[in-house]
Amino acid sequence: MSALNIKKGASSHSAYDLRDSHVEVEESHTLAVIVENEPGVLARVIGLFSGRGYNIDSLTVAEVDHTGHRSRITIVTRGTPAVIDQIEAQLSRMVPVHAVHDLTVEGPSVQRELALFKVAGKGDARIEALRLAEIFRAKVVDSTLESFIFEITGTPEKIDALAELLRPLGLRELARTGVAALSRGA
Amino acid sequence: MTRSMTGAKMVVQALKDQGVEVVFGYPGGAVLPIYDEIFLQNDIRHVLVRHEQGAIHMAEGYARSTGKVGVALVTSGPGATNAVTGLTDALMDSIPIVVLTGQVPTFMIGTDGFQEADTVGITRPCTKMNWLVKDSARLPETIHRAFHVARSGRPGPVLIDIPKDVQFAQAEYTGPERMKPDHYQPRVKGDIDAITRLVEMLETAERPVFYTGGGVINSGKGASQLLRELVDATGIPITSTLMGLGAYPASGKSWLGMLGMHGLYEANLAMHGCDLMIAVGARFDDRITGRVKDFSPNSTKVQIDIDPSSVNKVIRVDLPVIGDVGHVLEDVLKVWKARGRKVNKDGIARWWAQINDWKKINCLAYEPSKTTIKPQYALQRLEALTKGMDRYITTEVGQHQMWAAQFLGFEDPNRWMTSGGLGTMGYGLPASIGVQIAHPQALVINVAGEASWLMNMQEMGTAMQFRAPVKQFILNNERLGMVRQWQELLHGERYSQSWSESLPDFVKLAEAFGCKGIKCSDPKDLDDAILEMIRYDGPVIFDCLVEKHENCFPMIPSGKPHNEMLLSADAEAFKAGAALV
Ligand SMILES: Cc1cc2nc3c(=O)[nH]c(=O)nc-3n(C[C@H](O)[C@H](O)[C@H](O)COP(=O)(O)OP(=O)(O)OC[C@H]3O[C@@H](n4cnc5c(N)ncnc54)[C@H](O)[C@@H]3O)c2cc1C
Ligand SMILES: Cc1ncc(C[n+]2csc(CCOP(=O)(O)OP(=O)(O)O)c2C)c(N)n1
């Protein structure tokens, strides 16, 4: 009946097997999303990620142009290349979004995050914490007889590394801003 | 021209300035100032619905059948939450509507005030854009912007939430002519290099097929015209999704019929076997692709779409052309003509021979009956008796919807209104009213299943009140037919909760509403009954008692490739196999 050798009827595949089993490697991408600074825009962007099952590893947002009503949202996300493409397309079609830049593919970029570490302890641990902070070029921004708060700016990896080292020395609290990023050059 | 007026007056003024003729709505405390303004004028007609979901579907039917933006107005809290299904429906099907909701006064927001709901929060995922307007000075620009956003690019629903104090407050009104150009300007012209490549492919393809969708309808009547010209001049076969029916006429010589899960055998096999697929305003929905990795394995795929997120979402395409269907097709035709109107004549002739071979299987064939009305037969008679009339069809969701798509022929765009993406039972009756309000003289028929129809049957009151002579053609199988079919084929014939029990007497129901009821159960009476329905000057509820256990074929069980389609004759074999699933 058909030149394409079409077979019909029962098959051994489950009718519930809807997903493409195509596996690809996940990549991390940093996206800069320039949006209108209007109420609800951040919720819309975040809702896109949760609603469509995309990852957010880090998110920062602030107004960057007061007169032009622009905010910059920096999102670090993970996904296969196809998913990253979809995320960018989904973001860029949103009405309040002016531009989407994939800093990971648009050339070299600078990424920075600020963190505050509260470390409590006495004796050797306290001295060791201070020494580590110096090595990482963290500043002491608060100190009592029993605690320090260190401030550090760096890549997320650097902050992760310091956190690991401070944990056994009495790390009580950690506050991180999330990544801010700009592409290098003019 | 600027004038000072209240927020409520601005709403009405802005709607007038946007050319709105009719608003579908339902009042409540939080929108009373706007209703007051509606009372004081005669330019905009207000259609009072019976449930806010109905208002949204009416606005959708109005929009889809006219190409204009539909408008609905509802109150805060329950009014707004009742609108959510309709908004989601419009988002999935790319229908341009503007929905205005009332809200508690700004100073009460966040206090769990009476009938307060976080409307913009609830509706954010089901609108293209929404706004809470806290200052009446921003109201006019927001409303004008809302219309621009709803109709531009990929159309969709937008919502404006207006607190009651903002409706009372005075501010300067600004007309649309004084609006700053909006930054939201999706690209409509396609890249000319991509279009040239598309033409090159079209010139040499041996087995090309056009796969068209709702985007052609969205693009407007001109787009359908250009599509027809291109298809007829090239002789390339064309199929369409459920959403795109009518863009190319069903009587056209290159028409293959609908494709997809319940699409025609020849259409699906053409998609499976083609060497060039040209998607035009179609989004590779899972009802189309079946199992993604087996979808049209040997074709080069081109996709014309205005929304970049529709490209490569489900299926990798080789050549995307981002732009509006009308604009892109115009350029395609220009380039193709300038290059000498070439096509691979021999290849396409062989391709048609193959397709005509597939057609011989007659995939829509069904077992006729002299005693019971087969639903397919009912639709064939409806088609025969209404063909050529100024006719609009809406549907509910289920088997009847698929049979309507298979057995009714659409010659023009905007004549077919159905809930495709969300599959909202209860869509068809209110949608038919919205269509009828837009086209008072036309024949508007809602092809319904009894279960879907009951979901918004209160809107018969609206039809009566506003003299919308809609014909409710209910294919009554006393079953949730589509559910029953899946249970038969995929769930070992365990008919869990798929009976329509305790149905009303539809004829008496019609009488209770004050309209006409017709009941028909004998195929011999059907023609007369349909003619009686058509001729009656007023709304009709037609209870067409049909075969209870008919299945809708062809069917591609979800997750299967196109070439594992079931035809009616295969069902028994499939059931045996499905026991393993
Ligand atoms: C019970 C049931 C069974 C179904 N079975 C089938 C079936 O067998 N076959 C079938 O086809 N469907 C079926 N559907 C419908 C299906 O779920 C989808 O709604 C439908 O296939 C989507 O159609 P579409 O691809 O045309 O997309 P639409 O939802 O109409 O989307 C339109 C596309 O065009 C784009 N677009 C919009 N405007 C423009 C423009 N101006 N220019 C360019 N592009 C534009 C949009 O970005 C989008 O990508 C069924 C639904 C139900 C409820
Ligand atoms: C609001 C809603 N609830 C549930 C469903 C799932 N559903 C799809 S078709 C169907 C049965 C429809 O029955 P009927 O309207 O009688 O139409 P038939 O299939 O019998 O033609 C159901 C329950 C749906 N699509 N929409």
Side-chain angles (χ1 to χ4, degrees):
Chain A
M1 178 206 324
S2 103
L4 293 167
N5 191 22
I6 306 295
K7 67 172 171 19
K8 299 191 272 95
S11 95
S12 59
H13 301 285
S14 162
Y16 300 102
D17 177 21
L18 297 173
R19 282 245 165 228
D20 184 3
S21 57
H22 216 63
V23 198
E24 280 183 274
V25 188
E26 288 200 343
E27 300 170 351
S28 173
H29 283 240
T30 304
L31 309 178
V33 189
I34 312 301
V35 300
E36 235 160 293
N37 185 18
E38 275 180 7
V41 174
L42 181 62
R44 206 165 253 283
V45 169
I46 294 173
L48 169 74
F49 279 75
S50 62
R52 293 188 186 260
Y54 305 141
N55 300 298
I56 298 182
D57 288 340
S58 160
L59 177 108
T60 60
V61 56
E63 188 176 67
V64 291
D65 175 358
H66 185 67
T67 45
H69 295 288
R70 295 285 185 280
S71 291
R72 184 179 178 105
I73 303 177
T74 309
I75 302 173
V76 181
T77 182
R78 248 175 316 112
T80 60
V83 168
I84 300 286
D85 284 351
Q86 251 309 287
I87 293 175
E88 289 178 32
Q90 291 287 356
L91 282 170
S92 57
R93 78 175 178 139
M94 294 179 109
V95 176
V97 169
H98 287 258
V100 180
H101 299 287
D102 185 339
L103 299 177
T104 307
V105 301
E106 283 180 10
S109 64
V110 179
Q111 306 209 4
R112 289 292 180 271
E113 186 175 2
L114 184 143
L116 299 173
F117 293 83
K118 183 180 282 180
V119 181
K122 288 185 182 164
D124 285 351
R126 183 172 164 87
I127 293 163
E128 181 61 9
L130 198 57
R131 206 180 61 84
L132 281 172
E134 262 166 37
I135 295 171
F136 276 78
R137 282 190 227 129
K139 276 196 299 197
V140 176
V141 291
D142 178 64
S143 82
T144 67
L145 289 175
E146 266 146 40
S147 70
F148 287 119
I149 294 178
F150 300 123
E151 174 196 313
I152 183 170
T153 309
T155 61
E157 294 74 23
K158 183 174 169 182
I159 292 167
D160 288 345
L162 182 57
E164 274 319 298
L165 293 169
L166 288 179
R167 217 170 291 283
L169 300 175
L171 178 60
R172 286 290 153 84
E173 275 185 80
L174 170 55
R176 301 173 70 148
T177 58
V179 174
L182 287 178
S183 59
R184 286 179 189 268
Chain B
M1 178 172 54
T2 61
R3 276 168 290 159
S4 181
M5 59 178 85
T6 65
K9 199 174 178 72
M10 284 183 192
V11 170
V12 173
Q13 187 60 45
L15 294 182
K16 282 184 196 168
D17 287 349
Q18 288 293 337
V20 174
E21 289 160 353
V22 55
V23 171
F24 302 94
Y26 206 80
V31 281
L32 283 181
I34 300 175
Y35 272 87
D36 219 16
E37 290 299 333
I38 287 178
F39 186 83
L40 294 170
Q41 55 84 52
N42 284 316
D43 297 328
I44 296 177
R45 186 167 175 214
H46 181 275
V47 173
L48 178 70
V49 301
R50 300 298 185 264
H51 183 294
E52 288 84 353
Q53 184 184 353
I56 313 297
H57 294 323
M58 286 181 209
E60 287 187 275
Y62 179 93
R64 188 66 161 188
S65 66
T66 58
K68 298 188 214 164
V69 177
V71 181
L73 168 62
V74 301
T75 192
S76 66
T81 55
N82 274 349
V84 166
T85 301
L87 287 166
T88 311
D89 190 88
L91 186 73
M92 291 288 270
D93 285 346
S94 303
I95 311 292
I97 56 170
V98 171
V99 177
L100 306 167
T101 52
Q103 182 56 279
V104 300
T106 48
F107 54 84
M108 275 175 66
I109 289 179
T111 64
D112 296 328
F114 177 64
Q115 296 196 324
E116 178 179 1
D118 176 9
T119 300
V120 284
I122 290 169
T123 61
R124 200 169 279 128
C126 59
T127 51
K128 182 174 172 184
M129 187 62 192
N130 63 7
W131 298 269
L132 167 65
V133 184
K134 287 184 167 173
D135 174 1
S136 44
R138 307 231 21 209
L139 199 49
E141 66 175 85
T142 308
I143 298 176
H144 299 316
R145 182 137 202 249
F147 277 84
H148 170 75
V149 169
R151 68 165 86 89
S152 307
R154 180 178 184 166
V158 300
L159 179 143
I160 310 172
D161 199 24
I162 313 173
K164 196 167 181 182
D165 55 336
V166 172
Q167 298 171 34
F168 280 124
Q170 290 265 342
E172 292 289 308
Y173 177 78
T174 336
E177 69 290 345
R178 296 192 49 235
M179 288 276 296
K180 289 191 302 242
D182 204 294
H183 90 85
Y184 179 73
Q185 300 292 350
R187 163 179 194 163
V188 291
K189 286 286 269 184
D191 177 66
I192 199 69
D193 291 338
I195 288 172
T196 308
R197 278 194 55 208
L198 160 54
V199 171
E200 285 166 11
M201 292 177 187
L202 197 146
E203 288 168 345
T204 54
E206 291 183 358
R207 300 187 310 281
V209 67
F210 281 107
Y211 151 48
T212 59
V216 185
I217 315 284
N218 287 136
S219 182
K221 292 209 160 54
S224 294
Q225 221 41 59
L226 292 160
L227 177 72
R228 289 162 188 224
E229 186 182 343
L230 183 63
V231 170
D232 291 340
T234 56
I236 295 175
I238 174 171
T239 177
S240 166
T241 66
L242 184 73
M243 296 307 293
L245 298 177
Y248 185 82
S251 60
K253 67 177 180 4
S254 298
W255 178 238
L256 299 181
M258 181 176 82
L259 81 161
M261 181 177 264
H262 292 291
L264 273 71
Y265 184 76
E266 47 271 30
N268 283 326
L269 289 202
M271 289 286 280
H272 192 78
C274 64
D275 69 345
L276 175 65
M277 178 187 298
I278 306 169
V280 189
R283 59 182 172 82
F284 295 94
D285 184 82
D286 52 79
R287 307 287 95 163
I288 301 307
T289 60
R291 184 157 65 230
V292 165
K293 73 173 161 29
D294 297 316
F295 176 70
S296 191
N298 302 314
S299 59
T300 304
K301 299 175 186 71
V302 181
Q303 184 178 6
I304 301 170
D305 205 292
I306 203 158
D307 179 354
S309 79
S310 281
V311 176
N312 293 334
K313 180 167 63 182
V314 180
I315 297 291
R316 283 257 134 204
V317 299
D318 303 279
L319 177 67
V321 184
I322 303 297
D324 164 63
V325 169
H327 286 82
V328 172
L329 289 185
E330 189 176 0
D331 286 344
V332 168
L333 270 163
K334 253 186 226 152
V335 173
W336 180 70
K337 286 177 185 166
R339 289 170 52 104
R341 300 168 168 265
K342 290 186 290 252
V343 285
N344 185 338
K345 277 217 174 69
D346 296 344
I348 294 179
R350 279 196 302 275
W351 183 219
W352 270 112
Q354 163 76 87
I355 290 171
N356 288 330
D357 220 29
W358 288 329
K359 282 190 178 179
K360 284 189 201 133
I361 177 159
N362 193 13
C363 68
L364 296 183
Y366 60 93
E367 193 84 34
S369 164
K370 284 210 162 63
T371 49
T372 324
I373 301 178
K374 290 288 184 132
Q376 301 95 324
Y377 176 74
L379 287 164
Q380 281 175 322
R381 295 317 303 155
L382 184 72
E383 170 75 356
L385 296 170
T386 61
K387 210 174 179 58
M389 293 184 177
D390 181 13
R391 180 189 81 177
Y392 292 81
I393 302 285
T394 68
T395 75
E396 302 287 348
V397 170
Q399 292 178 314
H400 63 277
Q401 176 189 26
M402 295 296 109
W403 282 315
Q406 293 172 341
F407 288 92
L408 302 180
F410 297 94
E411 296 297 313
D412 292 299
N414 307 93
R415 297 267 169 177
W416 163 248
M417 273 51 60
T418 196
S419 171
L422 196 63
T424 311
M425 291 171 70
Y427 165 89
L429 164 51
S432 70
I433 297 171
V435 173
Q436 187 83 74
I437 296 287
H439 309 277
Q441 303 306 322
L443 173 64
V444 182
I445 304 171
N446 175 31
V447 175
E450 80 293 339
S452 299
W453 193 82
L454 289 175
M455 285 209 173
N456 272 323
M457 68 161 194
Q458 74 286 349
E459 300 305 335
M460 282 314 287
T462 311
M464 287 304 297
Q465 182 180 348
F466 294 91
R467 298 174 199 281
V470 289
K471 314 300 179 205
Q472 304 300 317
F473 192 63
I474 303 176
L475 297 177
N476 183 354
N477 54 11
E478 298 174 11
R479 301 287 182 278
L480 311 185
M482 187 58 93
V483 171
R484 194 208 60 77
Q485 173 166 351
W486 280 57
Q487 289 173 334
E488 178 183 338
L489 296 173
L490 302 165
H491 293 270
E493 302 180 58
R494 290 178 293 280
Y495 299 116
S496 179
Q497 307 298 322
S498 54
W499 259 263
S500 284
E501 296 280 3
S502 306
L503 286 168
D505 177 330
F506 287 99
V507 173
K508 282 196 186 142
L509 189 65
E511 285 162 11
F513 275 112
C515 66
K516 186 177 184 63
I518 300 175
K519 186 181 194 131
C520 185
S521 57
D522 189 333
K524 285 189 287 298
D525 302 334
L526 186 60
D527 275 23
D528 286 344
I530 290 176
L531 289 172
E532 190 186 352
M533 170 181 89
I534 299 168
R535 287 179 191 142
Y536 182 73
D537 182 19
V540 177
I541 302 176
F542 190 121
D543 184 13
C544 187
L545 293 165
V546 296
E547 163 62 45
K548 301 185 198 323
H549 301 122
E550 193 71 12
N551 283 329
C552 180
F553 290 112
M555 173 183 186
I556 306 175
S558 64
K560 304 267 180 189
H562 279 172
N563 57 353
E564 287 183 33
M565 190 182 334
L566 297 179
L567 298 170
S568 53
D570 304 319
E572 287 307 315
F574 181 77
K575 271 195 266 181
L580 302 170
V581 174

